[in-house]
Amino acid sequence: MRLDKYLSLCGKASRTETAKAVKGGEVLVNGTPAKRTDVQIDENADAVVFRGEPVIYRQYTWVMLHKPDGVVSATEDRLKGERTVLDLLPEELTRLRPPLFPCGRLDKHTTGLILLCNDGALSHKLLSPARHVDKAYAFTVKFSLSAQDISALETGVDIGGYVTAPCTMDVQAGGREGRIIIHEGKYHQIKLMMEAVHNQITSLSRLTFGPLSLDPALAPGEWRLLTDEEIGALSGAVR
Ligand code: URA
């Protein structure tokens, strides 16, 4: 592909910026300054350096973000003046093409593990209700959950005309906090499940998504790229 397309796909530079950098001799292809922006790049073989930094080509980019409280996980809420998960990423990632989007949603006040990617096909599979990708959450609730509540939640409760699939719970602190693993992902699912047993979520944090756990090194608001092994594990989970 053309050098300018390559640098744009890698989130390094727009076509105009590439033209400027090429003019200034700031783009090296296999150690030699590129003379034109339309020089052909073999993404599997050529070594490109942009303004002193090696450019890494990835067909798809996957990001793990520790979502903080108060940030929305949609992309379009930028228009409503809300801070979105994309606002937490550097320009190099937000200008990737195709663009990154959240792989599933967390409520504005839910914290924890959220993935962003630009791989529509794998994301679609991971979110498909038929694939049953597990998600574990830590929660606290307003009132103590009774043994009866826990049993009802684990068996399935009606959340507005839909009966939830069986889930697994581990409840402590006299019924006020615990972990829940769900195998589906309905909108506001855990909040609505707690409401179905006349309770209320007071905090919710996602710990795992399929085979991946939130990296403990990531503070709220921090992110990192997934490794190839982690992307492979996601693919394996829906194969
Ligand atoms: N269930 C909820 O109610 N909210 C979330 O953010 C995720 C799961």
Side-chain angles (χ1 to χ4, degrees):
M1 75 180 84
R2 288 169 56 122
L3 175 63
D4 49 7
K5 180 167 186 204
Y6 176 83
L7 288 175
S8 158
L9 284 180
C10 295
K12 279 287 175 200
S14 65
R15 289 193 176 208
T16 319
E17 285 166 315
T18 299
K20 264 194 221 155
V22 164
K23 219 170 170 187
E26 296 173 295
V27 186
L28 305 183
V29 178
N30 301 321
T32 308
K35 293 203 176 68
R36 301 163 57 113
T37 57
D38 63 356
V39 62
Q40 286 297 310
I41 301 296
D42 176 347
E43 61 272 17
N44 297 312
D46 291 327
V48 180
V49 174
F50 180 79
R51 295 190 170 138
E53 278 185 31
V55 180
I56 294 157
Y57 177 78
R58 291 179 296 268
Q59 187 185 9
Y60 296 117
T61 299
W62 283 83
V63 173
M64 175 187 289
L65 172 72
H66 186 161
K67 180 187 169 302
D69 187 10
V71 173
V72 295
S73 46
T75 46
E76 67 273 18
D77 284 286
R78 281 169 180 235
L79 302 173
K80 296 183 203 148
E82 296 269 22
R83 239 170 129 228
T84 78
V85 284
L86 283 159
D87 294 325
L88 299 169
L89 301 180
E91 207 186 334
E92 186 165 324
L93 289 176
T94 55
R95 67 178 178 195
L96 283 175
R97 292 296 171 266
L100 292 178
F101 58 86
C103 174
R105 288 188 178 199
L106 290 178
D107 293 342
K108 183 172 175 178
H109 295 297
T110 301
T111 60
L113 169 55
I114 188 160
L115 298 175
L116 295 105
C117 70
N118 54 5
D119 181 347
L122 180 52
S123 171
H124 184 75
K125 284 186 195 164
L126 288 163
L127 298 175
S128 155
R131 307 273 182 166
H132 308 295
V133 172
D134 288 359
K135 292 128 207 146
Y137 294 82
F139 67 86
T140 60
V141 281
K142 192 162 178 186
F143 311 109
S144 275
L145 289 164
S146 67
Q148 229 175 355
D149 292 337
I150 298 166
S151 163
L153 289 164
E154 285 191 318
T155 310
V157 287
D158 189 333
I159 54 167
Y162 173 80
V163 177
T164 54
C167 70
T168 312
M169 294 182 74
D170 174 17
V171 179
Q172 295 113 26
R176 296 280 307 280
E177 67 179 57
R179 289 182 179 210
I180 179 167
I181 303 175
I182 58 173
H183 317 287
E184 51 189 346
K186 299 283 170 205
Y187 190 52
H188 294 321
Q189 179 164 338
I190 298 170
K191 181 174 166 244
L192 295 174
M193 287 171 75
M194 294 304 171
E195 285 174 11
V197 293
H198 312 290
N199 211 318
Q200 205 177 306
I201 280 286
T202 46
S203 72
L204 189 61
S205 185
R206 185 153 69 189
L207 308 169
T208 68
F209 183 96
L212 305 186
S213 297
L214 178 63
D215 185 336
L218 296 177
E222 290 184 345
W223 63 274
R224 70 164 171 80
L225 296 177
L226 291 192
T227 62
D228 289 345
E229 288 72 28
E230 288 171 326
I231 299 170
L234 288 176
S235 302
V238 291
R239 202 166 286 139

